[in-house]
Amino acid sequence: MTDCKFVSEAEVIDFARHHSGVFDPAEALSVEEIGDGNINFVYRVYAAGGNSVIIKQALPYVRIIGEGWPLSQDRIRIEAEALMLEAEYCPDLVPRVYHFDAARSAIVMEDIGAFENLRHALVARAELPLLGKQLGRFCAETLFHTSDLYLDAHRKKEMVARFINPDLCKITEDLFFWDPFCDHERNNINPAIWSEAEALWRDEPLKLEVARLKHRFLTCAEALVHGDLHSGSVFANAEGTRIIDPEFAYFGPIGFDVGSLIGNLLLNYAGQAQLPGEASECEAYRAWLLDAVRELWNTFAGRFGELMSSSTKDPSLNLPAYREAYLADLLRDSLGYAGTELIRRTVGLAHVLDLEAIEDPQQRAKAETQALHLGRMLVLERAQLSDIDAAIERVRQI
Ligand code: SR1
Ligand code: MG
């Protein structure tokens, strides 16, 4: 499938025209390449009248590296199927898929251009009153309905097989759970925090807990997770939220998705104190970020708990005491994975604007050090943090 790349703008336009049902046959179309992600090519095709679509194409390698880092194109089928499954439970929170084309390794989907990339919105201290609730609902609905609590046993195993995603999982296995904890050549470390990084590499209690989290990531086929639920995979504004890019989807631990979101809100929290602006604005935004973490978790746990009691099919799992214990396990996992996201985004390969926007390396080092300390605390203390309020209180102390 190496020759499926669009070779001209006319080809992209023709593809959009024939596979979206959005454009009038007579209207002239334009195209722009808008992908700023690490892995794929993304185009926006639009008409002067306002209609537009997005085309995402997956080539057999990582876009930012080139053919030296090969990657299965099956990821785009996985993304299309995951988006369509998510739409069954949260149609208002994901872009509509108009067409998936296996030969082209491309998806034609709804343009969500009215929303802003969440990472940029958070750096700009945007007001997003619906964010925590909508992210919590997305996680509860998509994760419950693809878990053994809801699915028939045979259907669940069929779905696990459809979503085997080894290339993308391997990226996470390495970038989250290995590189940051050793002096790996892929790491990207601000020299001003070199001693903090060295302390991580020597931190045996931390490495033991990260090994436990990695083993769960490798073996726990709990639900169809999005698998890359960071702020760059979310678009938002004051009226709503859209979640995109589930190409890393596979059957993994539920806490990985919830934790990735919490970790990203906390990365922004760590960055805020060193970003430009009035101290009072920064403090207010940091308080809002912690409220968003609380709202995300409470919405997730509230809705997941309701679904467990109303819709769990297997009577042996539908017990009030099990519900309570299971939600406590999910919180512990989510806090742990939030911790690994904080650490890998600070010293690993893939950095984030929330920290990179701090221009002065010494100032950035303060935010990066806080991110590392928050991450370490969450990984090590996750079993003792009895509820989300206790976790937030500990975050405030660091
Ligand atoms: C080479 S891929 C680096 C990162 O980008 C993706 O969005 C994932 O987060 C991955 O870890
Ligand atoms: Mg992505």
Side-chain angles (χ1 to χ4, degrees):
M1 274 194 243
T2 44
D3 58 356
C4 69
K5 186 171 180 359
F6 294 111
V7 293
S8 65
E9 293 195 343
E11 240 184 46
V12 182
I13 288 174
D14 194 52
F15 189 75
R17 197 186 284 288
H18 287 99
H19 295 298
S20 61
V22 159
F23 301 110
D24 189 316
E27 63 187 341
L29 302 183
S30 306
V31 60
E32 56 183 345
E33 199 200 323
I34 58 166
D36 63 351
N38 295 323
I39 301 182
N40 303 296
F41 290 83
V42 183
Y43 306 90
R44 178 168 176 268
V45 177
Y46 57 98
N51 288 335
S52 58
V53 298
I54 297 297
I55 295 179
K56 178 167 181 178
Q57 187 177 46
L59 296 183
Y61 50 82
V62 175
R63 174 188 135 114
I64 52 163
I65 307 285
E67 297 188 20
W69 190 335
L71 209 54
S72 161
Q73 287 172 292
D74 193 38
R75 69 188 189 273
I76 197 82
R77 173 195 63 81
I78 285 181
E79 174 161 345
E81 291 192 13
L83 279 171
M84 290 187 277
L85 246 173
E86 290 163 358
E88 286 180 30
Y89 300 105
C90 304
D92 59 324
L93 297 180
V94 292
R96 242 181 92 192
V97 172
Y98 298 129
H99 178 69
F100 165 60
D101 195 303
R104 274 286 185 189
S105 277
I107 302 174
V108 186
M109 65 183 119
E110 183 185 357
D111 183 5
I112 53 162
F115 297 86
E116 190 183 2
N117 184 287
L118 177 61
R119 200 175 298 290
H120 292 263
L122 294 177
V123 170
R125 299 188 179 136
E127 285 186 31
L128 301 166
L130 305 178
L131 185 73
K133 281 202 175 76
Q134 295 195 329
L135 293 176
R137 174 163 63 85
F138 175 82
C139 289
E141 294 288 341
T142 59
L143 297 167
F144 176 81
H145 287 107
T146 56
S147 74
D148 284 286
L149 298 164
Y150 179 73
L151 291 175
D152 156 77
H154 285 87
R155 170 87 177 124
K156 162 79 189 316
K157 274 82 175 175
E158 275 164 34
M159 285 182 64
V160 171
R162 276 203 81 69
F163 286 94
I164 294 288
N165 197 356
D167 279 12
L168 285 282
C169 284
K170 182 74 168 91
I171 291 178
T172 304
E173 290 154 23
D174 292 341
L175 298 192
F176 261 77
F177 302 112
W178 175 244
D179 297 6
F181 303 97
C182 63
D183 186 5
H184 200 284
E185 62 188 10
R186 276 187 299 243
N187 286 338
N188 171 7
I189 302 170
N190 177 356
I193 60 157
W194 191 258
S195 60
E196 289 286 340
E198 284 180 327
L200 277 184
W201 306 335
R202 291 191 303 266
D203 193 335
E204 297 306 326
L206 180 66
K207 291 204 276 188
L208 169 63
E209 292 309 316
V210 171
R212 290 199 163 104
L213 289 162
K214 179 172 186 174
H215 196 256
R216 282 183 67 64
F217 183 88
L218 290 164
T219 60
C220 172
E222 200 171 20
L224 180 65
V225 297
H226 175 287
D228 197 25
L229 205 35
H230 58 86
S231 302
S233 299
V234 177
F235 279 67
N237 62 24
E239 277 85 50
T241 310
R242 296 290 183 274
I243 292 107
I244 63 165
D245 268 5
E247 68 192 315
F248 283 70
Y250 84 113
F251 274 79
I254 286 175
F256 188 73
D257 271 2
V258 181
S260 295
L261 288 170
I262 293 174
N264 275 269
L265 291 170
L266 295 180
L267 278 161
N268 191 264
Y269 174 87
Q272 279 298 338
Q274 313 304 327
L275 285 168
E278 296 293 317
S280 58
E281 260 177 44
C282 158
E283 274 321 301
Y285 205 72
R286 293 184 108 203
W288 176 80
L289 286 163
L290 297 186
D291 286 346
V293 168
R294 181 184 294 105
E295 207 156 32
L296 190 168
W297 174 261
N298 285 340
T299 306
F300 166 75
R303 181 64 186 144
F304 201 97
E306 274 171 23
L307 287 166
M308 279 185 87
S309 78
S310 66
S311 311
T312 296
K313 300 276 172 59
D314 181 342
S316 56
L317 300 176
N318 200 350
L319 310 172
Y322 183 65
R323 259 196 311 277
E324 206 174 305
Y326 189 67
L327 286 168
D329 288 347
L330 291 184
L331 177 64
R332 187 196 56 203
D333 267 14
S334 301
L335 296 175
Y337 290 118
T340 55
E341 173 70 345
L342 278 151
I343 294 170
R344 74 106 175 193
R345 293 294 190 180
T346 307
V347 295
L349 170 77
H351 282 217
V352 288
L353 186 70
D354 315 64
L355 300 174
E356 295 301 301
I358 306 162
E359 280 173 22
D360 175 48
Q362 299 300 330
Q363 294 292 109
R364 190 165 66 249
K366 291 183 195 162
E368 290 172 333
T369 301
Q370 188 180 33
L372 290 179
H373 291 183
L374 286 172
R376 182 174 187 278
M377 179 279 286
L378 289 169
V379 170
L380 287 176
E381 298 181 24
R382 68 193 192 283
Q384 284 81 56
L385 296 167
S386 53
D387 57 31
I388 195 67
D389 294 321
I392 289 172
E393 193 43 44
R394 277 295 285 136
V395 167
R396 278 208 190 90
Q397 291 164 4
I398 286 177

